[in-house]
Amino acid sequence: MPGIRLILCQKIHKKNHMKVDVLLGLQWGDEGKGKVVDVLTPRYDVITRFQGGPNAGHTLEFNNHKHILHNIPSGVFREDKLNIISNGVVLDPIVFKREIDSIMAMGIDLTQNLWISRKAHLILPTHRILDAASEAAKGKSKIGSTLKGIGPAYMDKTGRNGLRVGDMELDFKARYEELKAKHEKLLKQYDFEYSLEEEEKFFEGIEVIRKFNRVDTEYELNRLLEENKSILAEGAQGTLLDIDFGSYPFVTSSNTICAGACTGMGIAPSTIGEVYGIFKAYCTRVGSGPFPSELVDDQGERLRDIGKEFGSTTGRPRRCGWLDLVALKYSIMLNGVTQLIMTKTDVLDSFDTIKVATSYSIDGELSDHLPYNLEANVKPVFTEMQGWKTDLSGIRSGDQFPRELKEYIQFLEKELKVPVKYISVGPDREQIVEL
Ligand code: GDP
Ligand code: IMO
Ligand code: MG
């Protein structure tokens, strides 16, 4: 029956037509994901977060206003877009209510256009307390967690104890109490004082979540793909904070890499389309852990001052350093990046020269691999390039870029073997150049 086979094949072919594009951080987070998702949103029907939780702080700027989103996808400020919090996210009802309240105050009602997966796990007040107790017990070797309860919430997920959004339709209070009791038992092993005063706010947050469409988002996302809707998946954190491939144990507790989008949304690997890899023109890291190209001198301070490098979630000063191509190549490999986006390029405007780490010297041996033990004697080997000494903030076309910046981009493309498609030259949504 060749006719029927042909029709079936055409159907399958059509099914494969629409893809999910994924945007991910290639460094240690804070690469400017929020800003770029906001810039790209007009091209998509749906924006979705697939992992992480309120440890994320994604900043968007437009009309002289700055907004920092933690749990909510960065597509919410563009009209008529559907935003989805998918199953891989850990959701804190307290933070969620706060975010919804502040967006509501701007006259934006999200109750129709923001959907939440029933399978997303909830962060309880006791998860946050456990996070703080665990960090305090680690002392000097602490991870430098944002203390948002991320680790303990994912531990309950993989330990099969977690409380999910869908449980709100079941005997929620009993399940909550059961999990809280488990946490209180655990807390006894720490010498850590705590109070449960946030419990009331937690249940207020749950009531806010009830106003939203709580669905099996894996079905909805696959249906939207079949209807030829375009989807952009917004990563949180960065590849070097990935639970498997990051600088373990100084990592977050989810898979931040592209593969995490499949499990975090319930989509097949074959549905992934473009993979946008976003990186700063230099490097930052907030929290503890190895950072080979870190600058602990005036240059590092200068990057922090000009780049306003203070955490969007915790306000902590970010550690700064030069761009690290060994780490960047690793991230590109893990994610299958198809297009690169470089942000904060304007931060380098006043530098006479710019350095880029092209390999590592490990105990005197040159290597272009990220070693298992990044805390070993890893010294970056730098290439120095001429700075452009030009104010980029008003430039909107690649033709107007100074020669030195064009050379910098060409150098990166040659090393990384992936095209650089966007250059961000300031925090505002208008400050972007498509190449
Ligand atoms: P995210 O977590 O990846 O979304 O990044 P964050 O929002 O935590 O941090 C990026 C910071 O840099 C925010 O304050 C942004 O407003 C700002 N930003 C984003 N792109 C640019 C840029 O191209 N130039 C400058 N100067 N700032 C930028
Ligand atoms: P966005 O999405 C930068 C870091 C913390 C800490 C480690 C573990 O804004 O890029 P966790 O709270 O997950 O237990 O912290 O990961 N971290 C981030 N650093 N940007 C983030 O998110 C981060 N989310 C977590 O500082 O070192
Ligand atoms: Mg951030």
Side-chain angles (χ1 to χ4, degrees):
M1 292 186 291
I4 290 178
R5 245 192 101 204
L6 186 66
I7 293 166
L8 266 174
C9 288
Q10 277 171 345
K11 265 197 156 168
I12 290 166
H13 183 71
K14 193 160 175 244
K15 233 179 163 175
N16 284 341
H17 189 66
M18 219 50 201
K19 300 273 184 186
V20 176
D21 293 345
V22 186
L23 183 139
L24 308 142
L26 299 182
Q27 296 162 322
W28 279 285
D30 303 327
E31 297 89 349
K33 298 175 289 294
K35 176 210 158 142
V36 176
V37 168
D38 174 55
V39 167
L40 296 177
T41 295
R43 300 179 193 181
Y44 291 89
D45 300 305
V46 184
I47 312 297
T48 178
R49 280 273 310 268
F50 59 87
Q51 47 70 229
N55 47 351
H58 293 183
T59 316
L60 291 76
E61 279 193 41
F62 52 90
N63 302 338
N64 293 321
H65 281 285
K66 182 170 159 174
H67 309 271
I68 302 178
L69 296 169
H70 300 288
N71 263 310
I72 296 179
S74 299
V76 287
F77 295 113
R78 304 282 195 175
E79 262 174 57
D80 302 327
K81 302 296 173 187
L82 178 61
N83 287 273
I84 298 183
I85 296 176
S86 292
N87 58 283
V89 170
V90 284
L91 182 64
D92 184 331
I94 300 178
V95 180
F96 182 75
K97 177 179 183 300
R98 212 181 296 141
E99 289 192 83
I100 292 296
D101 287 349
S102 80
I103 295 171
M104 279 277 194
M106 295 169 63
I108 302 172
D109 179 1
L110 291 178
T111 44
Q112 298 309 308
N113 287 347
L114 176 63
W115 297 356
I116 305 172
S117 168
R118 285 191 180 120
K119 295 187 177 74
H121 280 245
L122 291 166
I123 300 178
L124 274 57
T126 39
H127 279 134
R128 264 185 289 127
I129 297 166
L130 279 166
D131 209 356
S134 152
E135 282 283 81
K138 283 196 162 114
K140 266 190 170 172
S141 56
K142 70 175 183 182
I143 307 296
S145 159
T146 59
L147 303 181
K148 301 295 174 192
I150 306 297
Y154 277 117
M155 277 162 76
D156 272 336
K157 175 177 178 173
T158 51
R160 296 159 293 180
N161 295 314
L163 193 64
R164 301 190 290 175
V165 168
D167 294 338
M168 287 165 54
E169 295 148 36
L170 308 173
D171 51 344
F172 186 70
K173 191 79 203 304
R175 286 170 194 235
Y176 169 84
E177 290 298 338
E178 198 182 320
L179 187 53
K180 184 181 104 180
K182 269 197 183 114
H183 291 165
E184 292 206 281
K185 226 181 204 172
L186 279 174
L187 280 163
K188 285 205 177 96
Q189 79 188 43
Y190 295 103
D191 180 21
F192 192 78
E193 265 186 47
Y194 64 91
S195 114
L196 285 171
E197 62 185 12
E198 295 239 283
E199 237 181 346
E200 203 180 312
K201 281 196 197 154
F202 174 84
F203 285 100
E204 284 169 17
I206 291 294
E207 289 316 305
V208 172
I209 294 176
R210 278 192 206 284
K211 294 182 188 157
F212 289 80
N213 203 10
R214 287 162 281 124
V215 286
D216 295 325
T217 51
E218 65 278 27
Y219 273 117
E220 298 301 332
L221 285 160
N222 282 289
R223 177 183 60 77
L224 287 159
L225 281 179
E226 272 183 33
E227 288 172 6
N228 260 347
K229 296 281 191 277
S230 50
I231 300 177
L232 177 64
E234 172 182 3
Q237 290 79 55
T239 302
L240 303 175
L241 291 170
D242 180 270
I243 183 72
D244 281 276
F245 300 104
S247 45
Y248 193 88
F250 301 100
V251 293
T252 191
S253 300
S254 63
N255 279 116
T256 59
I257 59 169
C258 189
C262 294
T263 54
M265 293 165 66
I267 52 155
S270 57
T271 62
I272 302 287
E274 295 295 330
V275 181
Y276 301 108
I278 180 165
F279 66 101
K280 282 182 198 181
Y282 49 99
C283 239
T284 63
R285 168 160 212 174
V286 60
S288 329
F291 180 176
S293 65
E294 182 171 15
L295 290 163
V296 284
D297 56 8
D298 305 352
Q299 302 258 56
E301 292 234 351
R302 204 166 144 208
L303 285 171
R304 186 176 313 116
D305 284 349
I306 303 174
K308 299 195 179 73
E309 293 296 355
F310 296 88
S312 313
T313 298
T314 57
R316 292 177 292 177
R318 294 177 183 145
R319 298 155 62 193
C320 297
W322 293 119
L323 188 63
D324 180 343
L325 295 191
V326 180
L328 209 49
K329 283 177 188 170
Y330 184 65
S331 297
I332 289 171
M333 173 186 83
L334 293 171
N335 290 303
V337 171
T338 60
Q339 301 188 21
L340 287 165
I341 301 170
M342 182 162 76
T343 61
K344 305 201 88 160
T345 318
D346 54 299
V347 174
L348 300 181
D349 283 356
S350 63
F351 282 75
D352 292 331
T353 56
I354 293 161
K355 286 190 187 173
V356 179
T358 47
S359 60
Y360 292 158
S361 163
I362 306 171
D363 295 325
E365 295 251 330
L366 276 188
S367 169
D368 57 3
H369 276 209
L370 213 65
Y372 177 79
N373 181 10
L374 251 187
E375 287 178 286
N377 190 17
V378 178
K379 289 202 176 71
V381 177
F382 291 110
T383 292
E384 194 160 14
M385 312 209 32
Q386 208 58 51
W388 42 89
K389 307 281 279 179
T390 308
D391 176 2
L392 298 179
S393 63
I395 294 184
R396 298 290 175 269
S397 150
D399 304 342
Q400 292 163 16
F401 279 160
R403 178 180 50 84
E404 295 83 352
L405 174 57
K406 286 184 183 160
E407 282 170 6
Y408 186 69
I409 297 167
Q410 276 164 10
F411 173 74
L412 294 181
E413 288 185 327
K414 193 165 158 255
E415 286 280 321
L416 302 170
K417 300 185 175 67
V418 181
V420 178
K421 287 292 177 92
Y422 297 88
I423 301 285
S424 177
V425 293
D428 193 273
R429 64 159 63 138
E430 301 295 331
Q431 290 177 301
I432 191 113
V433 177
E434 187 171 355
L435 297 177

